[in-house]
Amino acid sequence: MRRLALALALALLAAPLATPASAQEWVPRRVAVLQALDKVTARITVLRATLNQPERFGSLTINVRACHARPADEVPDAAAWMEISDSRAAEGANPVFRGWMFAEAPGVNMLQHPVYDIRILECRAQ
C-alpha cells in the first residue's frame, strides 16, 4: 500500500513536467507573395496577391482567402488558403485547387496543373 501511495505521489509531482509544448502561433497577414511558373515557357513570375482580390496568371485566377506567417522569433514559414480556378476549364467546373499551401513544405498540398505551378513564398502585412 505504501508503494502505491509513493508511486501515485511521484506521478502527481511529475504531471506538470509532462504537459505538451505550447502550439506555435501564426500571425494573420494581408498580402501573399506567390511564385508562379509557366511550364511551357519556363517563365517564373512573383505575384503579390492581396486577400480576397483575384490575381491573374495565364488562364488561372488566384484568390487568396487567408495568409499567415510565423512570428519573427520563430522559424520562418507561411501558409495561405487559396482557391485557384482555370478559365479554360468547363463551365461550372470546380476550382483546380482549393486548400492550404505551406512555404516550407510545398509538396504537402500543391496545385496539380499541366501548365502552371503556384507556390506560396511568404505572407506580408502590406
Side-chain angles (χ1 to χ4, degrees):
M1 189 60 128
R2 191 179 245 182
R3 279 190 180 177
L4 181 60
L6 182 58
L8 184 58
L10 287 174
L12 288 173
L13 288 173
L17 301 175
T19 58
S22 63
Q24 295 181 358
E25 298 294 321
W26 289 94
V27 179
R29 301 290 189 205
R30 302 237 348 109
V31 176
V33 179
L34 308 172
Q35 177 179 293
L37 168 67
D38 182 325
K39 296 176 191 176
V40 175
T41 63
R43 179 182 62 136
I44 295 174
T45 304
V46 175
L47 306 170
R48 292 177 51 91
T50 303
L51 291 185
N52 300 311
Q53 294 183 7
E55 185 71 32
R56 301 267 313 163
F57 181 73
S59 64
L60 300 181
T61 300
I62 305 155
N63 207 332
V64 178
R65 301 291 185 190
C67 198
H68 299 280
R70 295 277 189 210
D73 60 340
E74 291 186 21
V75 176
D77 198 2
W81 173 268
M82 291 186 266
E83 293 176 348
I84 303 173
S85 58
D86 190 340
S87 63
R88 294 180 185 161
E91 181 90 18
N94 288 333
V96 293
F97 179 86
R98 179 184 290 142
W100 287 99
M101 281 190 191
F102 299 91
E104 294 304 312
V108 169
N109 198 18
M110 51 198 254
L111 170 69
Q112 302 282 327
H113 194 278
V115 179
Y116 304 111
D117 278 340
I118 302 291
R119 179 177 176 199
I120 177 75
L121 297 177
E122 64 179 319
C123 294
R124 295 184 178 173
Q126 290 297 333

